[in-house]
Amino acid sequence: RILYWNAAAERVFGFPREEALGRVMDQLMGPGTRLPPDAVRQLQERGRWSGDTECRARNGSTKVVERRCELQW
């Protein structure tokens, strides 16, 4: 779930903070934003992952962004 969404994310992706917070990335931006299998494996093994992925903005354009994911218990 998206826990942090700043003004830069609003500008880049076109989704207001209120719409993004609490949602899962692929619910907000479509299934193309899912983490690659190796990232999921690392997240499961270490509880965290960071790296570059492609995400879709509200207007349909593709953005390459650095993502940081952590498991929250």
Side-chain angles (χ1 to χ4, degrees):
R1 300 214 176 268
I2 298 169
L3 301 177
Y4 181 75
W5 195 260
N6 62 23
E10 288 183 337
R11 279 193 312 278
V12 169
F13 295 109
F15 297 100
R17 182 176 190 268
E18 299 78 26
E19 191 174 338
L21 290 178
R23 300 206 36 209
V24 176
M25 288 287 285
D26 59 340
Q27 288 176 335
L28 187 66
M29 300 178 183
T33 60
R34 291 192 180 122
L35 292 175
D38 61 318
V40 173
R41 191 171 29 261
Q42 184 176 341
L43 186 59
Q44 291 170 337
E45 291 171 358
R46 299 181 186 171
R48 63 181 54 193
W49 175 83
S50 63
D52 294 340
T53 61
E54 287 187 357
C55 296
R56 191 179 72 219
R58 175 172 245 149
N59 68 6
S61 65
T62 301
K63 312 287 183 180
V64 176
V65 297
E66 181 182 0
R67 289 171 65 180
R68 183 175 44 190
C69 303
E70 291 186 28
L71 293 178
Q72 299 288 317
W73 305 106

